[in-house]
Amino acid sequence: MCFFKRMDPHVQRAANSFQNRFSKTALLVLVSIASAITALIQSAGGTLPAVGLIISPFSTLPVVLITIISPLLGIYTFFLTGLLLLLVQPSELLIFLFTTGLLGVGLGHGFTFFQRRILIASIGSLSLFPGICIMLLGFQFPLFGPEFQSTSSFYFWLSLFLFSCGYSLVWVEITFLIFKKYVSRRLRSKP
């Protein structure tokens, strides 16, 4: 199965090449740009009623990419995006901090420390699932809408865990495809 395959070494080298190509100042500028883009994408969920629900999950992508470049810069991006959302769209702040942003940081760390897709997806789901639990139980946030009230069922929590595993795996594949595309362009551009 492709879940247990090791990542292409070119993809790992592409992630490492970012650190070597940019100065520390350029990386901080990259963090601020990624934070601004992430805040705009996440705030689309509260600003645009129907289309925003489709756009806002993509706020995970910039956090994943920056965290792959540098785990510390990924955490900076996470907190800076949280501060920007506090100013721009406070209603999306909790959603970002405990779901999409936390997933991005978890997946980025997974890509940094592990080689197999299943391990990376496991780290992502182990960061997403507790975030969803905190939102549902701790803050009583209606994550699935105001009509949905039943959180006491075992099957609900099992399906929520399986959803977080599947969602994390989808983001692993999306990130892997982006890096693979980047590597193929870099190899074609070299003489």
Side-chain angles (χ1 to χ4, degrees):
M1 281 189 93
C2 71
F3 301 133
F4 298 105
K5 283 175 41 181
R6 293 179 70 83
M7 282 194 319
D8 188 3
H10 294 301
V11 175
Q12 195 67 28
R13 274 189 248 133
N16 294 336
S17 74
F18 276 104
Q19 290 179 335
N20 301 330
R21 282 185 23 184
F22 296 114
S23 66
K24 292 189 184 299
T25 306
L27 286 173
L28 287 177
V29 170
L30 188 64
V31 165
S32 63
I33 291 171
S35 296
I37 290 171
T38 305
L40 286 173
I41 294 171
Q42 183 68 39
S43 65
T47 308
L48 306 169
V51 179
L53 294 175
I54 298 169
I55 296 172
S56 67
F58 288 101
S59 65
T60 301
L61 186 61
V63 178
V64 171
L65 295 177
I66 296 295
T67 308
I68 291 172
I69 293 170
S70 169
L72 182 62
L73 292 180
I75 293 172
Y76 288 166
T77 304
F78 177 74
F79 285 115
L80 183 58
T81 303
L83 289 173
L84 287 172
L85 282 172
L86 185 64
L87 297 172
V88 176
Q89 189 79 8
S91 63
E92 292 289 320
L93 177 64
L94 287 177
I95 296 171
F96 175 77
L97 290 179
F98 292 104
T99 57
T100 54
L102 197 59
L103 175 66
V105 171
L107 285 176
H109 280 86
F111 268 100
T112 303
F113 297 116
F114 297 110
Q115 292 289 319
R116 300 202 187 276
R117 290 178 170 136
I118 194 74
L119 293 174
I120 298 167
S122 298
I123 295 298
S125 65
L126 288 176
S127 56
L128 178 64
F129 182 68
I132 292 174
C133 291
I134 290 170
M135 290 285 290
L136 289 174
L137 298 174
F139 292 112
Q140 301 291 316
F141 192 85
L143 206 56
F144 302 111
E147 309 85 34
F148 193 79
Q149 298 295 330
S150 174
T151 59
S152 60
S153 170
F154 169 76
Y155 294 111
F156 169 75
W157 293 107
L158 180 65
S159 62
L160 192 62
F161 180 72
L162 293 175
F163 166 77
S164 66
C165 291
Y167 191 71
S168 179
L169 193 59
V170 166
W171 273 109
V172 167
E173 291 302 317
I174 289 172
T175 308
F176 184 72
L177 286 174
I178 288 171
F179 270 106
K180 197 170 183 178
K181 195 72 118 166
Y182 171 76
V183 167
S184 67
R185 281 191 181 170
R186 292 276 298 175
L187 291 176
R188 272 188 273 142
S189 67
K190 284 188 175 181

